[in-house]
Amino acid sequence: MIFSIIHTTSYKYDNNVTYCHNLAILKPKDFIGQKLLNYELEITPKPSILNENTDFFGNAVTHFSIDKQHKELIVTAKSTVERSYEVQELNENLKGDKHITLEKALEKLSTFSPENIDAKQFLLDSAFINKISTTIKEYAEISFKKERSVFEASKELMKRIFTDFKFDAHFSTIATPIDEVMKEKKGVCQDFAQIAIACIRSIGLPARYVSGYIETLPPPGKEKLVGTDASHAWFSVFIPNFGWVDFDPTNNQVPKNQHITVAFGRDYYDVPPLKGVIYGSGNSIMKVSVDIRPAKN
């Protein structure tokens, strides 16, 4: 599958902004099963400084600054991505057994291989996932038993979050603590991913936050509206001697071709699509439009 993705973020300010400095994490990743064919980043007004580098987690990050007065900022990322879950799955099948038990996984994780050392950074507290509560640990332990497959336990955790939590776009913000999400059992995809990550870290396994997109389909007989898609998030668990495996608790799916990965980090704080600072006063209005559809030949 080849997808065309257009992600536009606009900010309208009450008063002129004299200077802004921003980070954009919008460039899809390249890995076996996902290939970035084309990428363009359009910014209005034109930045005075623009450069791209790779962050600590291997994500492409664009830094840009605008030093002219402006009352509106528009950032549009245009990507063409080829997804082949079949190729990805074939590669995974060559890695080894992903169905090892939790007990054996924790034992293997205690060794100091380069892969394990790299993965263990995703065991540490992060900005939005720290001081994991007993409530979250007890919720995790329902699925994670020492004699059970890590893969099956993670899959069940995904399903339980899908079943137990309600999607509510108006309940949470970026700053809503995961304990509050856990208590109220509602939130959005970012919240569900972070709840799962907290659960998995609480039992001693590394877990990371994955940001990206998911292709959505219109109701039968209806045309898909332009710009009505959204950024998406899910979680990934590390299985020693195998690697990372993704799960989407918002949709109760193991990600396949419809999921496009942009970046990963410890939680949302590491990989927001756009963040920055401005010099100005007054309020601002942000609008986001995302459009994902099969690319035309």
Side-chain angles (χ1 to χ4, degrees), residues 169-209:
H170 304 289
F171 168 71
S172 61
T173 67
I174 293 169
T176 302
I178 59 171
D179 286 338
E180 188 174 339
V181 174
M182 188 72 199
K183 179 183 177 182
E184 299 298 330
K185 297 289 193 298
K186 55 186 176 181
V188 294
C189 59
Q190 291 89 347
D191 300 309
F192 303 157
Q194 291 182 154
I195 287 290
I197 291 166
C199 284
I200 294 165
R201 288 180 187 168
S202 77
I203 51 91
L205 287 176
R208 67 189 185 189
Y209 181 97

mmCIF file of all heavy atoms in Angstrom, residues 169-209:
data_model
loop_
_atom_site.group_PDB
_atom_site.id
_atom_site.type_symbol
_atom_site.label_atom_id
_atom_site.label_comp_id
_atom_site.label_asym_id
_atom_site.label_seq_id
_atom_site.Cartn_x
_atom_site.Cartn_y
_atom_site.Cartn_z
ATOM 1 N N ALA A 169 -12.910 12.696 23.373
ATOM 2 C CA ALA A 169 -11.982 13.726 22.899
ATOM 3 C C ALA A 169 -12.022 14.990 23.749
ATOM 4 O O ALA A 169 -11.134 15.845 23.641
ATOM 5 C CB ALA A 169 -12.296 14.075 21.450
ATOM 6 N N HIS A 170 -13.040 15.128 24.607
ATOM 7 C CA HIS A 170 -13.193 16.355 25.396
ATOM 8 C C HIS A 170 -12.750 16.183 26.845
ATOM 9 O O HIS A 170 -12.766 17.147 27.606
ATOM 10 C CB HIS A 170 -14.653 16.820 25.357
ATOM 11 C CG HIS A 170 -15.177 17.029 23.977
ATOM 12 N ND1 HIS A 170 -14.767 18.069 23.172
ATOM 13 C CD2 HIS A 170 -16.069 16.306 23.242
ATOM 14 C CE1 HIS A 170 -15.391 17.996 22.002
ATOM 15 N NE2 HIS A 170 -16.182 16.937 22.023
ATOM 16 N N PHE A 171 -12.375 14.965 27.236
ATOM 17 C CA PHE A 171 -12.046 14.725 28.640
ATOM 18 C C PHE A 171 -10.649 15.193 29.016
ATOM 19 O O PHE A 171 -10.453 15.872 30.024
ATOM 20 C CB PHE A 171 -12.189 13.228 28.971
ATOM 21 C CG PHE A 171 -11.605 12.857 30.302
ATOM 22 C CD1 PHE A 171 -12.225 13.257 31.472
ATOM 23 C CD2 PHE A 171 -10.412 12.141 30.385
ATOM 24 C CE1 PHE A 171 -11.679 12.939 32.715
ATOM 25 C CE2 PHE A 171 -9.857 11.811 31.623
ATOM 26 C CZ PHE A 171 -10.498 12.217 32.794
ATOM 27 N N SER A 172 -9.666 14.828 28.224
ATOM 28 C CA SER A 172 -8.273 15.045 28.625
ATOM 29 C C SER A 172 -7.574 16.081 27.760
ATOM 30 O O SER A 172 -8.008 16.415 26.659
ATOM 31 C CB SER A 172 -7.498 13.724 28.555
ATOM 32 O OG SER A 172 -7.501 13.215 27.241
ATOM 33 N N THR A 173 -6.454 16.573 28.306
ATOM 34 C CA THR A 173 -5.522 17.413 27.557
ATOM 35 C C THR A 173 -4.152 16.733 27.637
ATOM 36 O O THR A 173 -3.996 15.701 28.291
ATOM 37 C CB THR A 173 -5.425 18.824 28.149
ATOM 38 O OG1 THR A 173 -4.799 18.732 29.447
ATOM 39 C CG2 THR A 173 -6.806 19.451 28.303
ATOM 40 N N ILE A 174 -3.173 17.331 26.997
ATOM 41 C CA ILE A 174 -1.820 16.781 27.047
ATOM 42 C C ILE A 174 -1.348 16.643 28.492
ATOM 43 O O ILE A 174 -0.626 15.714 28.848
ATOM 44 C CB ILE A 174 -0.851 17.684 26.245
ATOM 45 C CG1 ILE A 174 -1.192 17.642 24.757
ATOM 46 C CG2 ILE A 174 0.589 17.275 26.467
ATOM 47 C CD1 ILE A 174 -0.471 18.681 23.939
ATOM 48 N N ALA A 175 -1.787 17.564 29.356
ATOM 49 C CA ALA A 175 -1.301 17.603 30.735
ATOM 50 C C ALA A 175 -2.099 16.734 31.704
ATOM 51 O O ALA A 175 -1.758 16.667 32.888
ATOM 52 C CB ALA A 175 -1.304 19.043 31.231
ATOM 53 N N THR A 176 -3.147 16.054 31.255
ATOM 54 C CA THR A 176 -3.955 15.242 32.164
ATOM 55 C C THR A 176 -3.143 14.062 32.688
ATOM 56 O O THR A 176 -2.636 13.256 31.904
ATOM 57 C CB THR A 176 -5.217 14.719 31.456
ATOM 58 O OG1 THR A 176 -5.971 15.831 30.961
ATOM 59 C CG2 THR A 176 -6.088 13.923 32.429
ATOM 60 N N PRO A 177 -2.992 13.911 34.011
ATOM 61 C CA PRO A 177 -2.203 12.807 34.571
ATOM 62 C C PRO A 177 -2.802 11.446 34.221
ATOM 63 O O PRO A 177 -4.030 11.300 34.145
ATOM 64 C CB PRO A 177 -2.267 13.055 36.085
ATOM 65 C CG PRO A 177 -2.633 14.504 36.232
ATOM 66 C CD PRO A 177 -3.511 14.810 35.059
ATOM 67 N N ILE A 178 -1.931 10.445 34.037
ATOM 68 C CA ILE A 178 -2.442 9.118 33.678
ATOM 69 C C ILE A 178 -3.272 8.515 34.807
ATOM 70 O O ILE A 178 -4.171 7.714 34.546
ATOM 71 C CB ILE A 178 -1.309 8.154 33.257
ATOM 72 C CG1 ILE A 178 -0.285 7.974 34.375
ATOM 73 C CG2 ILE A 178 -0.663 8.608 31.969
ATOM 74 C CD1 ILE A 178 0.722 6.876 34.089
ATOM 75 N N ASP A 179 -3.000 8.905 36.063
ATOM 76 C CA ASP A 179 -3.804 8.389 37.170
ATOM 77 C C ASP A 179 -5.259 8.850 37.059
ATOM 78 O O ASP A 179 -6.187 8.124 37.412
ATOM 79 C CB ASP A 179 -3.225 8.830 38.509
ATOM 80 C CG ASP A 179 -1.956 8.064 38.871
ATOM 81 O OD1 ASP A 179 -1.759 6.954 38.324
ATOM 82 O OD2 ASP A 179 -1.167 8.568 39.681
ATOM 83 N N GLU A 180 -5.453 10.072 36.560
ATOM 84 C CA GLU A 180 -6.812 10.581 36.365
ATOM 85 C C GLU A 180 -7.499 9.848 35.212
ATOM 86 O O GLU A 180 -8.688 9.519 35.284
ATOM 87 C CB GLU A 180 -6.768 12.082 36.087
ATOM 88 C CG GLU A 180 -8.148 12.736 36.071
ATOM 89 C CD GLU A 180 -8.088 14.244 35.943
ATOM 90 O OE1 GLU A 180 -7.022 14.826 36.268
ATOM 91 O OE2 GLU A 180 -9.089 14.834 35.516
ATOM 92 N N VAL A 181 -6.740 9.568 34.146
ATOM 93 C CA VAL A 181 -7.283 8.794 33.023
ATOM 94 C C VAL A 181 -7.662 7.399 33.497
ATOM 95 O O VAL A 181 -8.717 6.865 33.154
ATOM 96 C CB VAL A 181 -6.252 8.709 31.869
ATOM 97 C CG1 VAL A 181 -6.762 7.791 30.761
ATOM 98 C CG2 VAL A 181 -5.949 10.093 31.318
ATOM 99 N N MET A 182 -6.791 6.818 34.322
ATOM 100 C CA MET A 182 -7.050 5.479 34.857
ATOM 101 C C MET A 182 -8.304 5.467 35.716
ATOM 102 O O MET A 182 -9.132 4.547 35.639
ATOM 103 C CB MET A 182 -5.839 5.024 35.683
ATOM 104 C CG MET A 182 -5.908 3.577 36.133
ATOM 105 S SD MET A 182 -5.654 2.443 34.744
ATOM 106 C CE MET A 182 -6.333 0.938 35.434
ATOM 107 N N LYS A 183 -8.481 6.482 36.533
ATOM 108 C CA LYS A 183 -9.636 6.555 37.426
ATOM 109 C C LYS A 183 -10.938 6.724 36.659
ATOM 110 O O LYS A 183 -11.934 6.043 36.925
ATOM 111 C CB LYS A 183 -9.456 7.722 38.401
ATOM 112 C CG LYS A 183 -10.629 7.908 39.360
ATOM 113 C CD LYS A 183 -10.406 9.123 40.253
ATOM 114 C CE LYS A 183 -11.616 9.353 41.161
ATOM 115 N NZ LYS A 183 -11.432 10.566 42.011
ATOM 116 N N GLU A 184 -10.936 7.616 35.671
ATOM 117 C CA GLU A 184 -12.165 7.930 34.945
ATOM 118 C C GLU A 184 -12.421 6.977 33.786
ATOM 119 O O GLU A 184 -13.522 6.956 33.226
ATOM 120 C CB GLU A 184 -12.105 9.368 34.423
ATOM 121 C CG GLU A 184 -11.983 10.427 35.509
ATOM 122 C CD GLU A 184 -13.172 10.447 36.455
ATOM 123 O OE1 GLU A 184 -14.285 10.104 36.022
ATOM 124 O OE2 GLU A 184 -12.966 10.803 37.640
ATOM 125 N N LYS A 185 -11.392 6.198 33.391
ATOM 126 C CA LYS A 185 -11.519 5.225 32.299
ATOM 127 C C LYS A 185 -11.987 5.881 30.990
ATOM 128 O O LYS A 185 -12.841 5.359 30.283
ATOM 129 C CB LYS A 185 -12.489 4.103 32.680
ATOM 130 C CG LYS A 185 -12.030 3.262 33.867
ATOM 131 C CD LYS A 185 -10.845 2.391 33.508
ATOM 132 C CE LYS A 185 -10.570 1.333 34.565
ATOM 133 N NZ LYS A 185 -10.223 1.887 35.866
ATOM 134 N N LYS A 186 -11.395 7.026 30.665
ATOM 135 C CA LYS A 186 -11.706 7.666 29.381
ATOM 136 C C LYS A 186 -10.560 8.585 28.984
ATOM 137 O O LYS A 186 -9.742 8.997 29.808
ATOM 138 C CB LYS A 186 -13.027 8.422 29.435
ATOM 139 C CG LYS A 186 -13.158 9.463 30.532
ATOM 140 C CD LYS A 186 -14.583 10.031 30.540
ATOM 141 C CE LYS A 186 -14.790 11.011 31.696
ATOM 142 N NZ LYS A 186 -16.185 11.531 31.709
ATOM 143 N N GLY A 187 -10.513 8.880 27.681
ATOM 144 C CA GLY A 187 -9.454 9.716 27.148
ATOM 145 C C GLY A 187 -9.358 9.535 25.648
ATOM 146 O O GLY A 187 -10.334 9.170 24.991
ATOM 147 N N VAL A 188 -8.161 9.766 25.105
ATOM 148 C CA VAL A 188 -7.932 9.634 23.658
ATOM 149 C C VAL A 188 -6.763 8.688 23.435
ATOM 150 O O VAL A 188 -6.214 8.124 24.382
ATOM 151 C CB VAL A 188 -7.682 11.012 23.006
ATOM 152 C CG1 VAL A 188 -8.923 11.878 23.088
ATOM 153 C CG2 VAL A 188 -6.490 11.711 23.660
ATOM 154 N N CYS A 189 -6.368 8.530 22.171
ATOM 155 C CA CYS A 189 -5.360 7.524 21.834
ATOM 156 C C CYS A 189 -4.050 7.722 22.589
ATOM 157 O O CYS A 189 -3.412 6.756 23.016
ATOM 158 C CB CYS A 189 -5.124 7.476 20.327
ATOM 159 S SG CYS A 189 -4.565 9.035 19.588
ATOM 160 N N GLN A 190 -3.645 8.997 22.778
ATOM 161 C CA GLN A 190 -2.411 9.251 23.520
ATOM 162 C C GLN A 190 -2.519 8.736 24.952
ATOM 163 O O GLN A 190 -1.577 8.152 25.497
ATOM 164 C CB GLN A 190 -2.103 10.758 23.541
ATOM 165 C CG GLN A 190 -1.701 11.321 22.204
ATOM 166 C CD GLN A 190 -2.885 11.802 21.375
ATOM 167 O OE1 GLN A 190 -4.036 11.500 21.689
ATOM 168 N NE2 GLN A 190 -2.605 12.544 20.321
ATOM 169 N N ASP A 191 -3.681 8.945 25.569
ATOM 170 C CA ASP A 191 -3.890 8.480 26.940
ATOM 171 C C ASP A 191 -3.851 6.957 27.021
ATOM 172 O O ASP A 191 -3.244 6.384 27.929
ATOM 173 C CB ASP A 191 -5.249 8.972 27.462
ATOM 174 C CG ASP A 191 -5.360 10.478 27.476
ATOM 175 O OD1 ASP A 191 -4.451 11.135 28.015
ATOM 176 O OD2 ASP A 191 -6.350 11.006 26.951
ATOM 177 N N PHE A 192 -4.514 6.293 26.086
ATOM 178 C CA PHE A 192 -4.578 4.833 26.116
ATOM 179 C C PHE A 192 -3.188 4.221 25.918
ATOM 180 O O PHE A 192 -2.833 3.234 26.559
ATOM 181 C CB PHE A 192 -5.537 4.322 25.047
ATOM 182 C CG PHE A 192 -6.940 4.871 25.165
ATOM 183 C CD1 PHE A 192 -7.792 4.909 24.065
ATOM 184 C CD2 PHE A 192 -7.420 5.363 26.370
ATOM 185 C CE1 PHE A 192 -9.070 5.415 24.164
ATOM 186 C CE2 PHE A 192 -8.707 5.877 26.487
ATOM 187 C CZ PHE A 192 -9.540 5.909 25.380
ATOM 188 N N ALA A 193 -2.404 4.831 25.026
ATOM 189 C CA ALA A 193 -1.038 4.346 24.805
ATOM 190 C C ALA A 193 -0.214 4.499 26.077
ATOM 191 O O ALA A 193 0.544 3.600 26.466
ATOM 192 C CB ALA A 193 -0.386 5.099 23.649
ATOM 193 N N GLN A 194 -0.361 5.629 26.755
ATOM 194 C CA GLN A 194 0.445 5.894 27.947
ATOM 195 C C GLN A 194 0.001 5.036 29.135
ATOM 196 O O GLN A 194 0.835 4.624 29.946
ATOM 197 C CB GLN A 194 0.412 7.388 28.274
ATOM 198 C CG GLN A 194 1.171 8.192 27.216
ATOM 199 C CD GLN A 194 1.240 9.683 27.470
ATOM 200 O OE1 GLN A 194 2.148 10.347 27.013
ATOM 201 N NE2 GLN A 194 0.262 10.237 28.180
ATOM 202 N N ILE A 195 -1.283 4.727 29.237
ATOM 203 C CA ILE A 195 -1.749 3.799 30.263
ATOM 204 C C ILE A 195 -1.105 2.427 30.042
ATOM 205 O O ILE A 195 -0.602 1.786 30.979
ATOM 206 C CB ILE A 195 -3.286 3.677 30.247
ATOM 207 C CG1 ILE A 195 -3.938 4.944 30.811
ATOM 208 C CG2 ILE A 195 -3.750 2.442 31.014
ATOM 209 C CD1 ILE A 195 -3.754 5.142 32.300
ATOM 210 N N ALA A 196 -1.113 1.959 28.789
ATOM 211 C CA ALA A 196 -0.521 0.660 28.475
ATOM 212 C C ALA A 196 0.972 0.642 28.783
ATOM 213 O O ALA A 196 1.499 -0.328 29.342
ATOM 214 C CB ALA A 196 -0.760 0.318 27.002
ATOM 215 N N ILE A 197 1.669 1.712 28.432
ATOM 216 C CA ILE A 197 3.105 1.798 28.685
ATOM 217 C C ILE A 197 3.382 1.740 30.188
ATOM 218 O O ILE A 197 4.289 1.027 30.643
ATOM 219 C CB ILE A 197 3.688 3.088 28.074
ATOM 220 C CG1 ILE A 197 3.649 3.000 26.548
ATOM 221 C CG2 ILE A 197 5.122 3.331 28.557
ATOM 222 C CD1 ILE A 197 3.886 4.323 25.847
ATOM 223 N N ALA A 198 2.599 2.470 30.973
ATOM 224 C CA ALA A 198 2.762 2.443 32.426
ATOM 225 C C ALA A 198 2.539 1.038 32.967
ATOM 226 O O ALA A 198 3.280 0.566 33.840
ATOM 227 C CB ALA A 198 1.799 3.429 33.076
ATOM 228 N N CYS A 199 1.525 0.346 32.445
ATOM 229 C CA CYS A 199 1.241 -1.024 32.871
ATOM 230 C C CYS A 199 2.435 -1.939 32.603
ATOM 231 O O CYS A 199 2.869 -2.701 33.481
ATOM 232 C CB CYS A 199 0.015 -1.557 32.130
ATOM 233 S SG CYS A 199 -1.576 -0.924 32.713
ATOM 234 N N ILE A 200 2.976 -1.855 31.405
ATOM 235 C CA ILE A 200 4.059 -2.760 31.004
ATOM 236 C C ILE A 200 5.342 -2.449 31.769
ATOM 237 O O ILE A 200 6.046 -3.360 32.217
ATOM 238 C CB ILE A 200 4.269 -2.669 29.480
ATOM 239 C CG1 ILE A 200 3.033 -3.219 28.761
ATOM 240 C CG2 ILE A 200 5.516 -3.436 29.049
ATOM 241 C CD1 ILE A 200 2.954 -2.872 27.295
ATOM 242 N N ARG A 201 5.644 -1.170 31.956
ATOM 243 C CA ARG A 201 6.832 -0.821 32.736
ATOM 244 C C ARG A 201 6.694 -1.285 34.190
ATOM 245 O O ARG A 201 7.685 -1.640 34.830
ATOM 246 C CB ARG A 201 7.067 0.695 32.692
ATOM 247 C CG ARG A 201 7.569 1.192 31.343
ATOM 248 C CD ARG A 201 7.791 2.691 31.355
ATOM 249 N NE ARG A 201 8.111 3.160 30.013
ATOM 250 C CZ ARG A 201 8.130 4.451 29.660
ATOM 251 N NH1 ARG A 201 7.865 5.382 30.564
ATOM 252 N NH2 ARG A 201 8.414 4.802 28.415
ATOM 253 N N SER A 202 5.465 -1.279 34.702
ATOM 254 C CA SER A 202 5.258 -1.653 36.103
ATOM 255 C C SER A 202 5.608 -3.110 36.376
ATOM 256 O O SER A 202 5.917 -3.462 37.514
ATOM 257 C CB SER A 202 3.799 -1.386 36.516
ATOM 258 O OG SER A 202 2.916 -2.385 36.019
ATOM 259 N N ILE A 203 5.581 -3.948 35.335
ATOM 260 C CA ILE A 203 5.922 -5.359 35.548
ATOM 261 C C ILE A 203 7.346 -5.668 35.071
ATOM 262 O O ILE A 203 7.749 -6.821 35.028
ATOM 263 C CB ILE A 203 4.872 -6.308 34.901
ATOM 264 C CG1 ILE A 203 4.596 -5.968 33.442
ATOM 265 C CG2 ILE A 203 3.566 -6.259 35.671
ATOM 266 C CD1 ILE A 203 5.457 -6.678 32.493
ATOM 267 N N GLY A 204 8.100 -4.618 34.679
ATOM 268 C CA GLY A 204 9.520 -4.784 34.415
ATOM 269 C C GLY A 204 9.943 -4.907 32.969
ATOM 270 O O GLY A 204 11.105 -5.227 32.697
ATOM 271 N N LEU A 205 9.034 -4.639 32.037
ATOM 272 C CA LEU A 205 9.388 -4.715 30.625
ATOM 273 C C LEU A 205 9.428 -3.320 29.995
ATOM 274 O O LEU A 205 8.614 -2.456 30.334
ATOM 275 C CB LEU A 205 8.371 -5.573 29.858
ATOM 276 C CG LEU A 205 8.416 -7.080 30.087
ATOM 277 C CD1 LEU A 205 7.291 -7.752 29.320
ATOM 278 C CD2 LEU A 205 9.766 -7.662 29.665
ATOM 279 N N PRO A 206 10.361 -3.087 29.069
ATOM 280 C CA PRO A 206 10.399 -1.798 28.377
ATOM 281 C C PRO A 206 9.192 -1.629 27.461
ATOM 282 O O PRO A 206 8.748 -2.577 26.808
ATOM 283 C CB PRO A 206 11.693 -1.880 27.550
ATOM 284 C CG PRO A 206 12.495 -2.982 28.179
ATOM 285 C CD PRO A 206 11.482 -3.963 28.685
ATOM 286 N N ALA A 207 8.690 -0.409 27.414
ATOM 287 C CA ALA A 207 7.576 -0.076 26.508
ATOM 288 C C ALA A 207 7.782 1.341 26.018
ATOM 289 O O ALA A 207 8.221 2.211 26.771
ATOM 290 C CB ALA A 207 6.233 -0.214 27.220
ATOM 291 N N ARG A 208 7.464 1.573 24.763
ATOM 292 C CA ARG A 208 7.648 2.912 24.196
ATOM 293 C C ARG A 208 6.370 3.408 23.528
ATOM 294 O O ARG A 208 5.484 2.638 23.161
ATOM 295 C CB ARG A 208 8.821 2.941 23.222
ATOM 296 C CG ARG A 208 8.649 2.141 21.961
ATOM 297 C CD ARG A 208 9.957 2.059 21.181
ATOM 298 N NE ARG A 208 9.784 1.377 19.893
ATOM 299 C CZ ARG A 208 10.785 1.012 19.103
ATOM 300 N NH1 ARG A 208 12.033 1.264 19.462
ATOM 301 N NH2 ARG A 208 10.551 0.404 17.954
ATOM 302 N N TYR A 209 6.325 4.719 23.373
ATOM 303 C CA TYR A 209 5.191 5.432 22.780
ATOM 304 C C TYR A 209 5.466 5.604 21.289
ATOM 305 O O TYR A 209 6.559 6.044 20.903
ATOM 306 C CB TYR A 209 5.066 6.787 23.459
ATOM 307 C CG TYR A 209 3.935 7.682 22.999
ATOM 308 C CD1 TYR A 209 2.736 7.726 23.697
ATOM 309 C CD2 TYR A 209 4.103 8.516 21.898
ATOM 310 C CE1 TYR A 209 1.716 8.576 23.304
ATOM 311 C CE2 TYR A 209 3.076 9.361 21.494
ATOM 312 C CZ TYR A 209 1.890 9.395 22.196
ATOM 313 O OH TYR A 209 0.887 10.236 21.798
#
